[in-house]
Amino acid sequence: MVGVDDPPRRPQLRRADRLDLILDRDGPRCVWCGRSFAALVRPTTDHLVPRVKGGPSWLENEIAACARCNNERGHLTPVDWLAECERRGWQPDRTAVGAALTRLQDAIAERGGARRAARYLDGQLRRWS
Ligand SMILES: [Zn+2]
């Protein structure tokens, strides 16, 4: 059942189509570890603000991450997981992650709602450096 407070704002895209759009936007690499996607480094859609933290199912809340990073990040915040990636000697795409944080903030400001995600993002952007 479609909730009355959750009208479709655009045609729903299939997962593969969403992933294609994200890869076009962010490039063919995992934003967290920097590895290029290939047969053994499968791309997945990772939620910038996790669903359990109120992250919306919008393209603006989805980034391309390899299955390993998506899995190992768990519910860590983007700022904490980025620091962990750097601690491990990986090359996360700081530019893409920073752009994703502000893009999602802009989308929430434009569409409204997603108040939990907005608070989460405010905290992340305060810690962003
Ligand atoms: Zn990765």
Side-chain angles (χ1 to χ4, degrees), residues 47-58 61 73 75 104 108 112-121:
H47 288 89
L48 191 67
V49 177
R51 303 289 299 278
V52 296
K53 300 296 183 184
S57 299
W58 301 345
N61 192 35
R73 178 186 160 200
H75 296 156
L104 179 56
I108 292 172
R115 284 194 294 273
R116 277 180 74 208
R119 282 196 299 275
Y120 182 103
L121 268 178

Side-chain angles (χ1 to χ4, degrees), residues 77 84 94 103-104 121 129:
T77 69
E84 172 61 17
R94 280 189 155 269
R103 183 168 52 233
L104 179 56
L121 268 178
S129 56

Side-chain angles (χ1 to χ4, degrees), residues 30 32-33 66 68-69:
C30 174
W32 301 123
C33 67
C66 73
R68 176 192 67 183
C69 287

Side-chain angles (χ1 to χ4, degrees), residues 84-95:
E84 172 61 17
C85 292
E86 289 175 339
R87 193 189 66 75
R88 295 181 184 191
W90 299 346
Q91 273 105 46
D93 188 342
R94 280 189 155 269
T95 304

